[in-house]
């Protein structure tokens, strides 16, 4: 079964340092999502890509977070500088569908970030 | 704005007991509804989904959910739980035909099944 690959699985970083996460979606999936899941809460969308374009980044803290999907395949989410409140699980998901249609989402295993 | 409420934060059941987890959503338009499960140390997996048609949806592992439009609800049920059902369960919704496929998640329900 095809999977969404994420790395690293765990990351510990010091406050004010830069950190980056990588996601490789299922081959052929046009849409890629980054979600953040704070302990005790449900995942919240940070950014959505359709191919290489950002469709929704309304919840992305743009002063410190950035995301790119340059060739419309894999994606990188960066935080600079990291803050204590950024400690969370960062989930990547991909979907075959494009905007306006609905298909199933496949989630990766996530990157658990701890900021100390 | 869309929102999802899961009223049960923690549920503890004995094996063979019946399960019902509540989910209510807030949105004025047509929605797609989902239940996801996250087993300890694993990624989110889709249990079942509702797009249209029969409001009683059957998913994997004996789970089912009923969409009641008048109540804005999509409760998850299982007649007899097993120890292996111990996990966190998330209800999610997105706007059908919307410009994005953004999922709005509830806060989750942690289910512990005692053998």
């Amino acid at each position: 079964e095809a999977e969404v690959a994420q790395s690293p699985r765990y990351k510990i970083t010091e406050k004010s340092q830069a950190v980056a996460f990588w996601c490789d979606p299922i081959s052929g999936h046009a849409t890629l999502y980054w979600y953040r899941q704070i302990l005790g809460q449900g995942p919240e969308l940070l950014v959505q890509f359709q191919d290489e374009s950002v469709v929704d980044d309304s919840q992305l803290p743009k002063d410190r977070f950035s995301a790119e999907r340059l060739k419309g395949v894999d994606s990188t989410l960066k935080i600079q500088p990291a803050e204590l409140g950024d400690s969370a699980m960062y989930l990547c998901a991909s979907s075959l569908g494009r905007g306006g249609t609905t298909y199933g989402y496949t989630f990766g295993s996530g990157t658990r970030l701890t900021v100390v | 704005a869309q929102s999802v409420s899961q009223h049960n934060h923690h549920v503890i059941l004995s094996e063979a007991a019946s399960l019902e987890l509540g989910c209510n959503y807030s949105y004025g338009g047509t929605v797609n509804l989902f239940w996801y499960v996250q087993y300890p140390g694993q990624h989110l997996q889709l249990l079942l989904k509702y797009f249209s048609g029969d409001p009683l949806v059957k998913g994997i592992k004996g789970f089912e959910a009923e969409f009641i439009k008048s109540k804005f609800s999509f409760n998850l049920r299982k007649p007899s739980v097993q120890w292996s059902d111990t996990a966190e369960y998330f209800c999610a919704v997105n706007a059908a035909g919307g410009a994005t496929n953004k999922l709005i998640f509830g806060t989750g329900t942690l289910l512990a099944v005692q053998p």
Side-chain angles (χ1 to χ4, degrees):
Chain A
E1 183 179 337
E3 294 185 347
V4 174
Q6 287 189 250
S7 67
R9 189 72 188 270
Y10 303 94
K11 180 70 179 178
I12 300 174
T13 191
E14 293 184 346
K15 187 175 63 171
S16 79
Q17 295 298 304
V19 64
F21 315 128
W22 177 80
C23 172
D24 190 11
I26 292 174
S27 177
H29 279 198
T31 308
L32 183 148
Y33 313 80
W34 283 101
Y35 283 83
R36 177 172 61 183
Q37 185 176 13
I38 296 171
L39 193 63
Q41 299 182 20
E44 177 186 39
L45 181 71
L46 290 175
V47 61
Q48 177 182 343
F49 290 92
Q50 182 173 303
D51 301 310
E52 66 277 5
S53 301
V54 173
V55 175
D56 186 345
D57 64 355
S58 57
Q59 300 302 311
L60 188 70
K62 298 181 188 62
D63 57 334
R64 298 185 300 107
F65 285 64
S66 64
E68 60 183 17
R69 193 185 184 198
L70 293 176
K71 297 182 179 178
V73 181
D74 59 336
S75 175
T76 302
L77 178 69
K78 297 179 182 177
I79 308 174
Q80 183 174 18
E83 297 181 352
L84 296 177
D86 296 331
S87 295
M89 177 75 85
Y90 290 83
L91 298 168
C92 180
S94 69
S95 171
L96 184 61
R98 298 176 181 273
T101 60
T102 301
Y103 291 85
Y105 306 73
T106 301
F107 282 87
S109 298
T111 296
R112 181 165 295 284
L113 172 68
T114 302
V115 182
V116 297
Chain B
Q2 301 166 51
S3 66
V4 178
S5 297
Q6 291 183 244
H7 308 295
N8 314 104
H9 297 293
H10 293 94
V11 173
I12 301 174
L13 294 173
S14 298
E15 276 192 313
S18 65
L19 170 71
E20 181 160 3
L21 301 182
C23 173
N24 288 91
Y25 67 92
S26 172
Y27 183 66
T30 302
V31 294
N32 301 311
L33 297 155
F34 306 81
W35 275 98
Y36 281 85
V37 61
Q38 191 168 29
Y39 297 103
Q42 296 188 26
H43 58 275
L44 281 165
Q45 299 173 42
L46 182 66
L47 265 182
L48 47 79
K49 59 190 177 187
Y50 172 80
F51 292 168
S52 63
D54 188 345
L56 184 61
V57 179
K58 295 193 183 301
I60 61 172
K61 303 186 181 186
F63 286 90
E64 66 178 30
E66 184 175 13
F67 171 49
I68 302 179
K69 189 175 181 180
S70 61
K71 295 184 178 180
F72 298 89
S73 70
F74 190 56
N75 292 354
L76 181 71
R77 299 194 293 248
K78 186 171 184 179
S80 176
V81 295
Q82 301 172 323
W83 177 78
S84 58
D85 293 324
T86 294
E88 191 158 20
Y89 293 80
F90 293 93
C91 182
V93 61
N94 73 357
T100 74
N101 293 338
K102 177 169 69 175
L103 278 174
I104 307 295
F105 284 87
T107 52
T109 297
L110 200 56
L111 171 65
V113 180
Q114 298 175 328

